[in-house]
Amino acid sequence: MVGLARRLFRHHRGAAVATGLIAVIGMALVTAMTALLATGLADTTTVADRSFLTQFPLIMGGWVVAIVVFATVSTVTVTLAGRAGEIGGLRLIGATPKQIRVMVSAETFAVATVALLPGLGAGYLLGWIVLAAVRSSGLTDPASAYSPGLGLPLAGAVVVLVASAAAAWIGSRGTAGRSPVGGPPPAVARRSARPRRVAAAVLLVAGIGSASAVFGLPADSIATTAMTGPATVFVAIGLSMLAPELVGVGNRVLAVLSPRGAAGHLAAINLAAAPERVRPAVTFLTLLVGVSAGTLAMQGIENRHSAGGGTAQVLASINYLVVVLIAVFMAIALTNNLVAALGRRREEFSAMSLIGSTAGQTRGMLLREIGLATVVSVVAAVAGAVVCVIPFAVVKTGSAAAAFDAGPYLLSVVFGVVIALGATVAAGGRVVRAATAH
């Protein structure tokens, strides 16, 4: 396993780093939740604290595993695009699509295995920090000591290892099955998109259904939050899976606007010819903004219209912690994938320089591309979050108006935009300088 990871790092450093960071962070989050679960089940934990210390990590851990799988699938898909020559060469000498997928899964599993010890260590520390914060707010008894043990945290790490390998198998399907001598015919490309669209539709229906089920619940029921929170995650993931379609909509809008200037013209041509270049940004921005905006909006309604007390404080702590952890995780995933996607475009930028494009025009093109990705991501994510929060607002307040409070959405949008633009300016500027220096 170490040899496989070393080979991937030596020949495809960007892919190894991106996959490794996702594995480390995901393993740390899952390990922290399983450590808290072990604490909740420990004999030293008071009876009053067991409910929170078991329900919270189970809910949060499930969300994290789902997001880790999705992030790994997207990361593998992006990084494999930079290995098209290698994959094509292997196919030409007789490798089957199944063998390619096995190879990619084994590489991903190897990288995740290397991340095991750092992830476990970080997870133990994160679990201790979370419990200390909860205890300091008075939500748990100081007598309930941190008792993570070894069995459950290790089981959580194994779940991430298996999930990473499974995600790599799923994410490598398109690249492994592609013809080594040319792109797929349009009919084949359409057929290959159907499973993704079906999966996205299932997630959207599940999310909207979970959110709508709140209409049948009493306002003071904990289930209103327990149903709405996962709904925002399902809808955000479903919309993220529709990134190619969202980019297509943005392209049509851009064509109507007829962008002026060399940078705008180049961006319009690039987005029409190769929309997959901004797909990683759309995917992760939609997920980041959708989950954080929906959760913050839901908690804002809870804070304003629910009675205070221990249960309300617990729910608030859970929701805010969910937002922070997912935001950090998805911000790192977004940055990794943007850096990887931009790094592969060095030859493109060099060719543009040779035919007269200035460094400023190329940077302007990149900013316009990411601008379009940001707009379509934000619109889709905020719309999905509002749809999920409306039933919650109606049940809690008797009106849908509270679901349209702009504060939570603006906070999430600004955070996502800053990450996307910052990564593009930093990484894109470096690649452009390197490409135009020769």
Side-chain angles (χ1 to χ4, degrees):
M1 287 299 174
V2 175
L4 270 175
R6 187 183 296 117
R7 185 179 70 82
L8 182 64
F9 184 81
R10 183 167 59 247
H11 297 291
H12 303 285
R13 182 170 299 180
V17 170
T19 305
L21 282 173
I22 292 293
V24 169
I25 298 169
M27 204 165 292
L29 292 175
V30 173
T31 299
M33 294 304 104
T34 51
L36 289 176
L37 177 61
T39 300
L41 297 173
D43 295 336
T44 55
T45 300
T46 62
V47 176
D49 293 340
R50 287 187 179 179
S51 177
F52 170 66
L53 290 177
T54 53
Q55 293 179 14
F56 165 51
L58 283 173
I59 295 172
M60 180 64 182
W63 291 12
V64 170
V65 170
I67 292 175
V68 166
V69 171
F70 180 74
T72 305
V73 169
S74 302
T75 300
V76 168
T77 302
V78 171
T79 54
L80 279 183
R83 302 173 61 182
E86 174 197 352
I87 303 298
L90 291 172
R91 290 294 310 280
L92 286 172
I93 62 175
T96 64
K98 182 179 180 180
Q99 289 171 331
I100 298 296
R101 297 175 75 182
V102 169
M103 179 192 74
V104 174
S105 296
E107 291 174 346
T108 304
F109 187 84
V111 171
T113 301
V114 174
L116 179 63
L117 289 180
L120 275 173
Y124 274 105
L125 178 60
L126 178 60
W128 178 79
I129 292 173
V130 170
L131 184 61
V134 170
R135 186 185 295 125
S136 67
S137 65
L139 298 180
T140 59
D141 194 318
S144 299
Y146 185 48
S147 307
L150 179 61
L152 282 177
L154 189 58
V158 171
V159 168
V160 175
L161 286 176
V162 174
S164 298
W169 176 266
I170 297 169
S172 60
R173 177 177 179 271
T175 303
R178 192 170 300 147
S179 171
V181 294
V188 175
R190 285 193 296 271
R191 284 198 300 270
S192 66
R194 286 173 189 167
R196 172 179 57 79
R197 292 171 180 170
V198 170
V202 169
L203 285 169
L204 289 173
V205 170
I208 294 173
S210 178
S212 301
V214 172
F215 282 125
L217 298 173
D220 59 350
S221 173
I222 296 178
T224 57
T225 299
M227 296 291 285
T228 307
T232 62
V233 176
F234 290 149
V235 169
I237 293 178
L239 291 172
S240 298
M241 295 178 70
L242 295 176
E245 288 73 19
L246 293 177
V247 175
V249 172
N251 283 340
R252 286 191 285 274
V253 172
L254 196 63
V256 172
L257 296 177
S258 300
R260 298 179 180 179
H265 180 67
L266 289 170
I269 292 175
N270 255 348
L271 288 169
E276 68 277 0
R277 289 170 179 164
V278 297
R279 178 177 175 177
V282 174
T283 298
F284 287 101
L285 262 177
T286 303
L287 184 61
L288 170 60
V289 175
V291 174
S292 58
T295 309
L296 286 176
M298 180 179 66
Q299 188 56 48
I301 295 170
E302 186 80 44
N303 290 343
R304 290 193 302 272
H305 300 282
S306 297
T311 301
Q313 286 182 315
V314 168
L315 292 176
S317 300
I318 292 174
N319 286 328
Y320 287 133
L321 183 61
V322 166
V323 172
V324 171
L325 294 179
I326 290 179
V328 171
F329 180 76
M330 295 313 302
I332 293 174
L334 171 62
T335 302
N336 283 341
N337 282 275
L338 278 174
V339 170
L342 289 169
R344 293 198 307 272
R345 300 179 65 178
R346 180 171 176 174
E347 292 184 3
E348 171 199 344
F349 298 153
S350 296
M352 291 173 62
S353 176
L354 291 174
I355 62 175
S357 175
T358 66
Q361 289 171 338
T362 303
R363 285 194 295 269
M365 177 193 73
L366 283 177
L367 287 176
R368 284 162 176 79
E369 289 177 4
I370 201 65
L372 174 70
T374 299
V375 170
V376 297
S377 302
V378 164
V379 171
V382 170
V386 170
V387 168
C388 290
V389 174
I390 283 176
F392 186 83
V394 171
V395 170
K396 288 288 184 179
T397 69
S399 169
F404 296 91
D405 182 18
Y409 305 109
L410 285 176
L411 180 62
S412 302
V413 168
V414 169
F415 179 72
V417 170
V418 168
I419 295 296
L421 291 180
T424 301
V425 170
R430 185 172 63 252
V431 175
V432 170
R433 283 193 300 270
T436 57
H438 302 289

